[in-house]
Amino acid sequence: MSDDLGKPPPGAAADWTVPQRWESYTPEDHATWDRLFDRQAQLLPGRVTPLFLQGLDLLRLSKPGIPDFEELSERLMKATGWQVVAVPGLVPDSVFFDHLANRRFVAGNFIRRPDQLDYLQEPDIFHDVFGHVPLLANPVFADYMQAYGRGGQRAAAAGAIDRLARLYWYTVEFGLIRAGSGLQLYGAGIVSSFSESRFALEDPSPNRIGFDLKRVMRTRYRIDDFQQTYFVIDSFEDLLDQTLNNDFGPIYAQLSEAADIGTEEVLATDHVYHRGTQDYARAKLAT
Ligand code: HBI
Ligand code: FE
């Protein structure tokens, strides 16, 4: 949660946006983008939902160097009416929800250092733009993100932001989607990560479980390492149907007494695609 961030930093507007200042990226910054881009472009075909690749193409994110948000927003606006705006880093939940509810995606304007290619805590421009923006060119996913923003505003009033944040985490950030007899990636936290792109799909360690709204809202998540459980949706249409097209008020009420589910747990009621060995997580604990 990001409610303790206070006021926008100097130079930022009241809605926390800042100019992207594309001309101030160094050649090293652009080279970092290109390296990250090339790695994922090699890895993702076949692993990621084709809807993501269609978005990459449509938005022409592949041209060398860090994208200019104005050009990107122009293309995205034509596709689904979304824009990309720059922010200095994490913004408070209420600000984040307000942007989404108005079809503005906030993206960090900085890029990781060359020695942080594989891991960093705060979302940078590669995670935010490469990871999140391609699916915003998909009309159904674009509606899901806007509905999430509106839902966030209501969840804040209901004191249920934690529940809603779990939905975001296990779909927008770390979601898997069914593809024929197999699974594919769509979550931005996975598709922007070289190592998690393979781990989430191919490693025997994590659970892969059919998406169920209440189940997901009860499940804790990890912010420090690979997930121990991934949730699988059937389609974006189905995700939108099962979630944000409904009123969450009664669901929050039903869940108010429900115990949390651990990051590694499998329930008898789960639709299990793969029961994880949790070998990776256990080995990490032992070190
Ligand atoms: N701010 N810049 C930025 N990016 C996010 O993904 C983000 C945020 N603030 C709050 C937030 N996400 C989440 O905590 C909400 O979805 C609950
Ligand atoms: Fe993200």
Side-chain angles (χ1 to χ4, degrees):
M1 292 312 89
S2 329
D3 263 347
D4 49 356
L5 293 169
K7 292 203 181 323
D15 68 358
W16 286 67
T17 58
V18 294
Q20 184 191 11
R21 302 211 309 123
W22 188 86
E23 56 299 332
S24 61
Y25 295 118
T26 65
E28 187 180 65
D29 291 337
H30 289 298
T32 298
W33 172 280
D34 288 345
R35 279 188 65 187
L36 290 165
F37 189 98
D38 287 344
R39 272 199 329 188
Q40 292 315 97
Q42 290 227 344
L43 197 57
L44 290 179
R47 289 190 171 92
V48 76
T49 173
L51 301 173
F52 177 91
L53 298 173
Q54 285 164 20
L56 269 189
D57 264 5
L58 184 82
L59 299 171
R60 280 181 270 147
L61 275 167
S62 60
K63 82 167 205 264
I66 296 173
D68 179 315
F69 287 178
E70 258 178 57
E71 279 176 33
L72 182 58
S73 292
E74 220 171 277
R75 294 191 197 117
L76 191 55
M77 180 63 84
K78 281 196 195 118
T80 55
W82 275 76
Q83 288 172 273
V84 178
V85 294
V87 290
L90 282 178
V91 303
D93 292 338
S94 60
V95 175
F96 185 67
F97 297 143
D98 187 62
H99 282 298
L100 295 182
N102 290 287
R103 290 176 102 85
R104 289 188 300 267
F105 190 76
V106 297
N109 67 346
F110 66 97
I111 192 154
R112 65 196 76 181
R113 296 193 315 260
D115 61 311
Q116 303 172 310
L117 280 202
D118 292 311
Y119 183 78
L120 82 171
Q121 196 94 26
E122 265 217 308
D124 74 339
I125 192 170
F126 187 75
H127 168 79
D128 279 337
V129 172
F130 181 90
H132 284 284
V133 174
L135 282 181
L136 290 174
N138 175 273
V140 181
F141 195 82
D143 285 352
Y144 178 71
M145 289 292 279
Q146 179 177 29
Y148 180 83
R150 291 175 172 161
Q153 295 168 327
R154 292 190 296 267
I161 283 190
D162 290 6
R163 299 264 181 237
L164 199 73
R166 289 170 175 174
L167 174 63
Y168 191 84
W169 194 261
Y170 280 121
T171 60
V172 177
E173 294 292 355
F174 293 98
L176 302 181
I177 186 166
R178 244 181 49 193
S181 58
L183 304 179
Q184 288 181 323
L185 313 171
Y186 74 91
I190 309 176
V191 303
S192 62
S193 162
F194 185 63
S195 46
E196 198 154 357
S197 288
R198 279 170 302 177
F199 180 85
L201 216 50
E202 289 145 49
D203 200 283
S205 190
N207 303 316
R208 299 181 184 89
I209 292 173
F211 179 87
D212 175 272
L213 178 63
K214 285 186 227 166
R215 174 19 164 140
V216 166
M217 285 189 165
R218 289 175 55 199
T219 309
R220 288 193 287 263
Y221 57 81
R222 302 196 56 156
I223 58 166
D224 57 332
D225 207 334
F226 296 148
Q227 300 308 305
Q228 290 178 264
T229 298
Y230 297 91
F231 290 97
V232 181
I233 61 168
D234 282 340
S235 65
F236 292 144
E237 286 83 358
D238 188 53
L239 174 64
L240 192 56
D241 258 13
Q242 272 203 62
T243 57
L244 298 157
N245 279 344
N246 302 311
D247 175 12
F248 283 0
I251 295 172
Y252 295 146
Q254 281 171 39
L255 291 182
S256 68
E257 306 286 306
D260 276 357
I261 300 168
T263 53
E264 77 301 335
E265 266 183 75
V266 178
L267 308 182
T269 46
D270 286 339
H271 173 165
V272 179
Y273 286 90
H274 170 77
R275 177 182 281 268
T277 62
Q278 301 299 340
D279 284 350
Y280 171 85
R282 226 176 285 116
K284 266 298 185 68
L285 270 180
T287 58

